[in-house]
Amino acid sequence: MSPFSSETACIFLAVLAVLGGTALCKYNKCPGLVQLAICLASLWGGACWLSLSLFWGLVLFSLSCLFVYTYLSGQELLPVDEKAVLVTGGDSGIGHALCKYLDKLGFTVFAGVLNEKGPGAEELRKTCSPRLSVLQMNITDPEQIKDAVSKVTEKVQDRGLWALVNNAGVLGFPTDGELIPMTEYRRCMTVNFFGAVEVTKAFLPLLRKSKGRLVNISSIGGWVPMEKLAAYGSSKAALTMFSSVMRHELSKWGIKVSVIQPGGFRTSIAGTSDMWDKMEKDIMDHLSAEVKEDYGQEYIQVQRKFLTFINEQANPDFTPVVQDLMHAVSAKSPLAFYAPGKFAYLWFCLASFLPTGVFDYIRISNMKKCMPRALRVPNSKNKAT
């Protein structure tokens, strides 16, 4: 069996590069092309390393072309055709931007909001078309969810609901997991996980009618362990796993399920300064004397700088995440996972494939450490007594 010559390999790689370049030019706004390119590059790199025969090189090349064609053919966007979409958390941030974008494209939009008389809801009414309906929908209130189902059912009737986008969520006060009160763990799980699950269960009959889409907005923090986000990350990890299970279970009904795991985008999820004051006070009130002495009050108070850091570093432009959401809602074959945002997919890959020790070293080396009092002053307890 003759070796797969370097000249032959170069020819095939050149042709593949042309195909890939053409695809990138034509579908430059199509999510997942980076992942596709990485897969193909790894495949051909392995082929060259193994020095395959010309025959197997041709087979591999043909399979690669078929794979690219199949992938791109599934990226075709379906027509709007009066499709109805419900988005939770439409008051502000990503949900607000998505409601406006979908309305502009001609979708019938149901914007679930926490406060139907708030500024976010009023802006949607003023700037969007009559197709958009604002729904009072606190996702932790079963009665409001039931009322929303009734209103949506009345409007869509036999068409069903094409897509449900579970976007509403809370961040909480980012600090060490030991310091986060149990009330905050429960709040994150109630909103980010149980709320999304309850809304999903309530609207699934309408999704089955349309054989539509379930899109859950999780977070890169639900896959990549991030310090100070134990409550938030755990709730988003639960939502990610729920979505993965539902993707398998709902496939028999023709419903496609996608998870959006954004990186850092500047939304109102971090809360206001007044909310930070309240959460900081709750933390101090719930700590035992021993824990309070070990960490030190100044350590706890400096944690709010992390919230400021989040807002400063986050991307104010929601375009990448809105485009991925649009793809998940409208593509003929949406992806199971999306990771919009700067370096989000990179961190996803590092957490997935690197040995734990190596990944932990990278994370630690990139973190600016503010040490608790007992670690800064080793004999602080003895000195205090």
Side-chain angles (χ1 to χ4, degrees):
M1 186 177 288
S2 61
F4 189 21
S5 68
S6 59
E7 292 82 1
T8 307
C10 289
I11 292 173
F12 285 135
L13 288 173
V15 175
L16 193 63
V18 171
L19 288 173
T22 303
L24 286 170
C25 290
K26 187 175 182 181
Y27 298 92
N28 60 340
K29 293 184 178 180
C30 175
L33 281 179
V34 175
Q35 296 93 313
L36 177 65
I38 291 173
C39 290
L40 289 176
S42 301
L43 187 66
W44 275 89
C48 293
W49 182 71
L50 291 171
S51 298
L52 296 181
S53 68
L54 178 60
F55 171 75
W56 287 111
L58 286 169
V59 171
L60 184 60
F61 178 74
S62 300
L63 290 174
S64 299
C65 291
L66 178 63
F67 180 52
V68 171
Y69 173 78
T70 303
Y71 174 83
L72 293 179
S73 64
Q75 306 315 299
E76 177 187 356
L77 297 183
L78 300 173
V80 173
D81 288 342
E82 298 182 346
K83 290 183 174 69
V85 181
L86 169 64
V87 181
T88 66
D91 304 75
S92 61
I94 293 171
H96 189 81
L98 180 62
C99 287
K100 286 184 174 181
Y101 187 66
L102 292 174
D103 176 73
K104 185 177 179 181
L105 293 175
F107 285 89
T108 298
V109 180
F110 296 96
V113 297
L114 186 62
N115 181 6
E116 63 178 343
K117 296 180 180 179
E122 288 300 322
E123 185 183 351
L124 288 176
R125 292 190 185 97
K126 290 178 181 178
T127 60
C128 294
S129 73
R131 289 188 307 273
L132 184 141
S133 302
V134 174
L135 302 177
Q136 174 61 43
M137 194 176 175
N138 181 343
I139 65 170
T140 65
D141 186 333
E143 289 302 316
Q144 290 192 16
I145 295 175
K146 184 178 179 181
D147 184 56
V149 171
S150 178
K151 290 178 179 177
V152 172
T153 302
E154 182 181 358
K155 190 162 185 176
V156 301
Q157 298 181 356
D158 293 335
R159 288 186 293 124
L161 181 68
W162 172 250
L164 166 63
V165 181
N166 283 310
N167 164 73
V170 294
L171 177 68
F173 192 89
T175 188
D176 296 43
E178 183 180 6
L179 303 179
I180 299 175
M182 286 307 301
T183 53
E184 199 61 26
Y185 278 100
R186 294 189 184 96
R187 187 171 80 97
C188 282
M189 289 300 295
T190 298
V191 177
N192 299 342
F193 179 62
F194 292 123
V197 171
E198 189 162 1
V199 171
T200 299
K201 287 169 62 66
F203 283 94
L204 271 176
L206 291 177
L207 289 179
R208 284 203 302 272
K209 283 185 178 181
S210 66
K211 296 184 179 180
R213 309 293 167 81
L214 170 62
V215 183
N216 291 327
I217 300 186
S218 179
S219 168
I220 196 65
W223 188 274
V224 180
M226 295 184 176
E227 291 187 28
K228 307 185 187 302
L229 298 179
Y232 175 76
S234 299
S235 65
K236 289 298 188 179
L239 180 61
T240 299
M241 179 54 70
F242 170 75
S243 304
S244 298
V245 173
M246 296 301 286
R247 186 176 71 253
H248 292 285
E249 294 179 352
L250 294 177
S251 61
K252 57 180 171 285
W253 296 99
I255 299 174
K256 294 179 171 60
V257 181
S258 298
V259 181
I260 313 293
Q261 298 177 303
F265 289 91
R266 190 178 300 168
T267 70
S268 60
I269 193 172
T272 63
S273 181
D274 291 339
M275 291 172 62
W276 300 350
D277 290 339
K278 182 180 182 302
M279 287 187 284
E280 186 179 291
K281 183 177 183 302
D282 288 343
I283 289 173
M284 296 301 299
D285 290 345
H286 285 85
L287 292 182
S288 67
E290 180 182 9
V291 173
K292 197 177 295 185
E293 182 178 338
D294 283 347
Y295 280 90
Q297 184 171 348
E298 68 280 4
Y299 176 84
I300 298 170
Q301 290 174 338
V302 82
Q303 300 303 300
R304 67 187 300 161
K305 290 184 178 180
F306 185 70
L307 285 165
T308 305
F309 174 79
I310 290 176
N311 282 331
E312 290 175 350
Q313 298 298 313
N315 187 355
D317 181 12
F318 299 142
T319 302
V321 65
V322 170
Q323 285 181 346
D324 279 5
L325 281 163
M326 179 59 195
H327 189 270
V329 168
S330 295
K332 182 178 178 181
S333 298
L335 305 181
F337 295 93
Y338 297 81
K342 191 176 181 180
F343 302 126
Y345 186 69
L346 173 62
W347 280 114
F348 179 86
C349 291
L350 292 176
S352 301
F353 303 114
L354 281 182
T356 303
V358 176
F359 178 75
D360 288 349
Y361 176 79
I362 293 174
R363 288 291 300 162
I364 292 171
S365 62
N366 281 278
M367 291 292 293
K368 293 182 179 180
K369 294 294 180 181
C370 175
M371 302 301 287
R373 179 171 177 266
L375 297 178
R376 286 185 286 107
V377 188
N379 297 318
S380 58
K381 286 187 178 181
N382 294 333
K383 289 180 180 179
T385 57

